[in-house]
Amino acid sequence: MLLATTPAARLACPEGTLADRLVRQLATLHVHRVHVVTRSTDLPALPSRPAVLVAGPAVEPVTEPLAGPLADPLAGPDVTRSAGLTGDLRAVAEVARAVSGPLAVFPGDLVAHTEALALLLADPARGTGALVSPEHDRLPPIRAERGRVVAAGNSFHTVSGANGGFRGVLHVGEADLVSLADVAEELADLAQDQRLGAAEDTEVADLLLAGLVRVGVPVRAAPLGRLHCDRVTGRLGADAAIARLGEVDEDRARLEAAVKSDDGFVATYFVSSWSGHVVRLAARLGLTPNSVTGLSVGLAGLAAVAFSAGERRAQVAGAALLYLSFVLDCVDGQLARYTRMFSPLGAWLDATFDRVKEYVVYVGLALGYTGGVELGSTGPGGIWALAVAAMLVQAIRHMIDFSYAAARADAAGAGAVWERPGHGGSLGLPGALRRDPVVPVRGRADGSVVRLSARLDRNTASRWLKKIVVLPIGERMVLIAVTAALFNARVTFLALLAWGGLAALYTLTGRIARSL
């Protein structure tokens, strides 16, 4: 939803106007429908399409079709002419109730890298998020904690302890569209009654972000990084903003964004530090993420075969193959984000074969340790019992993680209904809206755990220790490779049981504490 409500949206640029430029960028991101809100008949030169009629005070639907030379995959925009802030908000509410997929809201006077918009619009999760940056001196302030916007401000609402600024791009997932519509309607009522203070009609996205956070919608804070995304007010500002775009290698920034910023220690320092070269090579060769997943599975299978030989040189070769398999396991996701080739099948294959590869390696290690001699029902030294136990520990750990995530999602879904405006929760009076929203917690233990976790995250060493102790897949692969190459399968399984058991206890304790 493009809010081309300021004169700057019609400033000329090489692509036509700034609004034209944004529409072209949206086309490259496979956005199939654009709704434009405008003040004037001097609309962006966009392809013809019948207008959508948006009802409500201060909203005048445009009935004449638009025409222009822009040729792109979009069939053309829906257009609403609004008289001001109240009409803009009601238009957002109407569109939010009408669409059947995620909705992005941003101003038409935005000058941004396409990759900056892609951080939200091309995210495979398609959830609710806001584009933010650490600077907040001349931007609407936000406070982010653990990758989530917990407070958002504008000219009417102040934020204490701000640690970032909102860049004007808001993406709302399908699950939160009802909340967006209700928030927009309530804000429109407040604006109509002149109860939003000095809030201006350029602050639609700012107000919506504050409202969504206020009613408890989880909003991901998408960091802008070194990309640019700036609102402009005049010719000089637009020229300067467009010039700044050329200062950044957008392809390199896209590659950097494809690498997870919150991955495990091993993945961050022993894979992601150089895997970008592999990602770029795979893209040039035309490899798909699923084919890279297949290569990763193949290398893990070869590692299992090498381990099954039971000889020291074969063990070392197996360790090297297992490491390369993990590298490709990271690369397939990075390649998917870099090329935007996402698919449910790919996500399923990646998650499923992570387990398959690991368990096949366990079998190879156990076979190599037996050396072809069966001593007892569980092999020499009970090696098969140890292998099965290691599998069970990992299966239990994954069960804890997935069941807890599902339970939190169900609880959040149920709670969101009661916290939506009109369902027991409300933005409330203007005085209440001025204050930072209070993020609800389930109890004292939950709040204490979250606060302790946040304090530990501020220290680099403790933050990495928290990541390492849960034995993520990168740490497991290195543990298997090192112990198998230097010792034997028995040592490998005992190490997996000890560290995996500690990780399961740590995770379970944290989950219980957060649930009290």
Side-chain angles (χ1 to χ4, degrees):
M1 192 165 184
L2 186 64
L3 303 171
T5 56
T6 64
R10 296 185 294 275
L11 287 173
C13 68
E15 293 84 359
T17 67
L18 293 186
D20 292 335
R21 185 178 185 279
L22 282 168
V23 172
R24 288 181 183 273
Q25 290 175 296
L26 293 175
T28 66
L29 296 175
H30 307 293
V31 173
H32 301 294
R33 183 177 180 185
V34 176
H35 189 108
V36 178
V37 178
T38 185
R39 294 279 182 272
S40 167
T41 55
D42 184 12
L43 299 172
L46 303 171
S48 173
R49 179 174 179 163
V52 166
L53 306 185
V54 180
V59 177
E60 177 188 352
V62 175
T63 55
E64 69 271 14
L66 300 174
L70 185 57
D72 58 43
L74 296 171
D78 301 327
V79 183
T80 297
R81 185 181 301 149
S82 166
L85 178 60
T86 301
D88 296 347
L89 291 167
R90 295 205 191 282
V92 171
E94 189 72 18
V95 172
R97 289 196 173 94
V99 298
S100 58
L103 176 65
V105 180
F106 51 89
D109 52 18
L110 200 68
V111 176
H113 284 109
T114 302
E115 292 306 315
L117 302 178
L119 293 173
L120 287 176
L121 275 65
D123 181 54
R126 298 169 68 83
T128 298
L131 200 59
V132 302
S133 66
E135 304 84 11
H136 57 87
D137 290 340
R138 289 178 288 182
L139 295 170
I142 61 102
R143 187 170 72 250
E145 295 177 2
R146 300 174 64 85
R148 174 179 166 184
V149 179
V150 297
N154 44 67
S155 64
F156 180 70
H157 176 220
T158 59
V159 173
S160 59
N163 57 8
F166 176 46
R167 286 290 178 171
V169 182
L170 177 64
H171 184 269
V172 182
E174 185 175 358
D176 298 321
L177 287 176
V178 173
S179 293
L180 174 65
D182 291 343
V183 164
E185 282 288 1
E186 188 158 353
L187 285 168
D189 291 340
L190 292 172
Q192 188 170 2
D193 296 338
Q194 298 183 344
R195 292 194 291 163
L196 287 181
E200 300 179 356
D201 56 6
T202 57
E203 299 181 76
V204 174
D206 311 342
L207 290 166
L208 291 173
L209 175 59
L212 289 173
V213 172
R214 177 71 175 78
V215 299
V217 173
V219 180
R220 179 174 69 93
L224 184 62
R226 55 203 194 94
L227 295 168
H228 292 296
C229 181
D230 302 297
R231 296 192 67 176
V232 300
T233 57
R235 177 77 274 157
L236 292 178
D239 291 342
I242 292 174
R244 282 196 298 272
L245 298 181
E247 298 172 0
V248 177
D249 184 341
E250 199 166 358
D251 183 70
R252 181 179 176 184
R254 178 175 176 175
L255 187 60
E256 291 174 352
V259 177
K260 290 182 179 178
S261 59
D262 59 346
D263 222 333
F265 182 84
V266 169
T268 298
Y269 290 104
F270 293 94
V271 177
S272 297
S273 57
W274 61 274
S275 62
H277 302 292
V278 182
V279 172
R280 187 167 280 162
L281 175 62
R284 288 175 180 170
L285 293 175
L287 297 178
T288 65
N290 290 349
S291 63
V292 175
T293 301
L295 291 173
S296 175
V297 173
L299 286 177
L302 291 176
V305 171
F307 287 139
S308 69
E311 299 176 354
R312 180 59 55 198
R313 285 185 296 181
Q315 298 288 100
V316 173
L321 289 168
L322 184 60
Y323 169 70
L324 292 176
S325 172
F326 175 64
V327 170
L328 293 184
D329 185 40
C330 296
V331 167
D332 61 3
Q334 294 170 1
L335 180 63
R337 289 184 288 273
Y338 179 65
T339 59
R340 302 194 188 107
M341 297 176 65
F342 305 111
S343 70
L345 175 63
W348 179 81
L349 288 175
D350 188 42
T352 301
F353 282 115
D354 278 350
R355 309 286 80 77
V356 171
K357 289 182 294 185
E358 187 171 353
Y359 297 158
V360 165
V361 166
Y362 288 1
V363 172
L365 285 166
L367 285 172
Y369 189 78
T370 60
V373 179
E374 267 311 302
L375 298 178
S377 60
T378 59
I383 194 67
W384 288 107
L386 290 175
V388 171
M391 290 183 186
L392 287 175
V393 167
Q394 296 308 320
I396 291 171
R397 289 186 58 230
H398 291 303
M399 180 185 68
I400 292 172
D401 287 339
F402 288 123
S403 61
Y404 180 78
R408 294 280 289 191
D410 290 343
V417 173
W418 296 104
E419 292 178 3
R420 287 173 189 154
H423 293 81
S426 172
L427 293 177
L429 297 175
L433 187 61
R434 286 183 184 274
R435 299 190 296 270
D436 284 352
V438 178
V439 179
V441 296
R442 296 180 64 86
R444 291 184 178 180
D446 187 9
S448 300
V449 170
V450 171
R451 287 192 294 272
L452 175 61
S453 180
R455 283 198 297 270
L456 291 174
D457 282 344
R458 297 189 189 105
N459 181 276
T460 302
S462 60
R463 179 167 59 87
W464 282 120
L465 182 60
K466 282 175 54 184
K467 288 179 174 291
I468 292 171
V469 73
V470 297
L471 192 59
I473 187 170
E475 278 68 5
R476 290 203 304 278
M477 294 301 103
V478 168
L479 179 64
I480 293 169
V482 171
T483 55
L486 298 181
F487 304 103
N488 56 46
R490 181 178 175 80
V491 173
T492 298
F493 290 136
L494 289 173
L496 284 170
L497 287 171
W499 195 344
L502 174 64
L505 181 62
Y506 173 84
T507 303
L508 184 61
T509 302
R511 298 293 189 258
I512 293 173
R514 286 174 178 266
S515 302
L516 293 176

